[in-house]
Amino acid sequence: MAEVWFEWLFADLTCKYGTDWKRPILLWLAAVNLIFPPLLFWTTKSVEGLSSSLSFLDYEYFSIVTATTLGYGDYHPFGVGRIIASIEALFGMFMWAVFLTVFARKYMR
């Protein structure tokens, strides 16, 4: 059962078994711009920065920097935000790999 769920999540949902290049891009954009900043970082208030109060765009910026694994250092997570940021960084690295695999497969056919 776990194998079927894992295959559905990582092969079918993310890229339709390597045949749909739009799906990883849309999934990445949705997660980085809609799920992580407003639902996770903003609700938990688990990111500190240069100013005492962060706007939604600050959380958005932190999310993009984390997902691309740049990590400029002007904002940093604390508490549960560290776990969320770690998950987002792993998600970002995984989605780059998926996109590159789908892109390569498309041009190898």
Side-chain angles (χ1 to χ4, degrees):
M1 180 66 179
E3 182 180 336
V4 173
W5 182 83
F6 186 81
E7 182 181 347
W8 173 82
L9 181 65
F10 290 111
D12 188 27
L13 179 68
T14 57
C15 63
K16 207 175 192 180
Y17 294 98
T19 60
D20 188 3
W21 64 270
K22 295 174 196 159
R23 202 177 273 192
I25 294 172
L26 293 174
L27 184 62
W28 190 90
L29 288 172
V32 172
N33 293 309
L34 301 174
I35 295 172
F36 284 105
L39 293 179
L40 298 175
F41 292 125
W42 186 70
T43 56
T44 60
K45 303 287 189 220
S46 57
V47 176
E48 298 179 323
L50 303 173
S51 62
S52 59
S53 63
L54 301 178
S55 69
F56 176 75
L57 291 177
D58 293 324
Y59 289 107
E60 188 77 27
Y61 166 77
F62 176 75
S63 181
I64 292 169
V65 168
T66 302
T68 57
T69 66
L70 287 173
Y72 287 127
D74 47 354
Y75 295 100
H76 58 279
F78 64 92
V80 71
R82 289 180 178 191
I83 296 168
I84 298 168
S86 299
I87 292 169
E88 185 177 16
L90 290 172
F91 169 79
M93 288 176 16
F94 171 75
M95 290 308 294
W96 277 113
V98 168
F99 176 71
L100 291 174
T101 302
V102 171
F103 188 73
R105 183 175 178 176
K106 178 176 175 59
Y107 286 101
M108 289 176 64
R109 285 188 264 159

